[in-house]
Amino acid sequence: LDESGDLGKLGSKFFIIALVSNQNPQELAHIVKRLRRRKLKKTIKQLSELKGNNSDKVIREYFLKQIMKTTSELHIIALNKEKVKSELFEVKDKLYNYVAGILVERAEIYKEYLHLIVDKKDRRAFIREDFNNYISKKFKEKIPSIKLDITHKNSQNDPGLQVADFVAWAAHRKF
C-alpha cells in the first residue's frame, strides 16, 4: 500500500492510495530487478529506490506494462479533496486511515492470511499503531477469521512498495 499526492488543503486536487495485491511477491521483485538490469543507465542503477515521479517516460511505461503482465490485482482509491470537510485536514493521519479503510472495505481481497506492507511514511510509532488497529478492524469486519500482519517498511527496501508507488503515481497523474 502506497499513496500519491498530499493531504493538505492546498496542493494536489486528489489524494490517491493504491494497494497492489499479489499471491507471489517475487513477481514484483522481478519487475524491479529486470528494470534495473535492462532499462536503467549506469548512473541511475545506483539509486536505492525507483519512484514514479522521479522516472522518465520510458521507465514508467516499461514498469507499468510489466505490472500488468503479473497476477497482481490493483486496488485504487482517489479522494477528491474538494469534497472533504476542511476540519478533517487538521487530523491528516485520521483522514489517511479513513481513506485507506474505505479502500480495504471495497477491495475484493478475501484471504485467510494477509501480509500488508505499508510505506513507512511516518516515524511516530503511535500513528502507525493507530493505522494498524483501524485497518485490522476493517479487515476483520470483512473477513472475521483473517490472520493479518501489517508491516511498515521503507520503500527503498521493498520492491512491492516500489510497484505500488508507480501504480499510485499513475493513478494520480490520471486524476
Side-chain angles (χ1 to χ4, degrees), residues 47-168:
L47 291 176
S48 58
E49 178 180 12
L50 296 171
K51 294 187 75 61
N53 68 336
N54 294 343
S55 299
D56 65 22
K57 184 178 179 180
V58 172
I59 300 300
R60 290 174 186 144
E61 286 180 359
Y62 177 84
F63 209 101
L64 293 169
K65 284 178 184 175
Q66 293 305 308
I67 292 168
M68 298 314 296
K69 291 179 183 177
T70 69
T71 59
S72 298
E73 296 175 10
L74 309 180
H75 307 274
I76 298 165
I77 187 163
L79 173 68
N80 182 344
K81 295 186 329 187
E82 293 176 350
K83 307 277 185 189
V84 175
K85 293 180 183 176
S86 63
E87 61 267 15
L88 293 176
F89 290 110
E90 304 303 319
V91 284
K92 291 178 184 163
D93 55 314
K94 298 287 186 192
L95 180 56
Y96 181 90
N97 293 356
Y98 178 72
V99 175
I102 293 172
L103 178 62
V104 165
E105 287 174 344
R106 295 183 181 176
E108 294 187 13
I109 300 173
Y110 299 98
K111 309 284 185 230
E112 291 300 313
Y113 171 74
L114 184 64
H115 184 192
L116 179 63
I117 301 170
V118 184
D119 187 24
K120 188 176 184 177
K121 64 182 180 3
D122 201 305
R123 298 191 191 283
R124 297 171 289 181
F126 71 92
I127 300 255
R128 291 192 310 268
E129 191 61 33
D130 188 45
F131 173 85
N132 292 354
N133 291 335
Y134 187 78
I135 294 302
S136 293
K137 179 182 161 208
K138 290 296 181 186
F139 267 113
K140 291 213 181 274
E141 288 172 359
K142 188 174 176 174
I143 312 163
S145 63
I146 193 168
K147 181 179 178 334
L148 177 66
D149 288 326
I150 301 176
T151 306
H152 296 259
K153 286 186 175 181
N154 187 321
S155 55
Q156 294 176 351
N157 303 326
D158 192 274
L161 285 174
Q162 292 177 40
V163 169
D165 176 82
F166 271 82
V167 172

Side-chain angles (χ1 to χ4, degrees), residues 36 39-50:
R36 285 186 176 281
K39 294 287 182 186
L40 296 182
K41 297 175 182 161
K42 260 188 181 175
T43 54
I44 302 174
K45 282 185 184 183
Q46 305 310 315
L47 291 176
S48 58
E49 178 180 12
L50 296 171

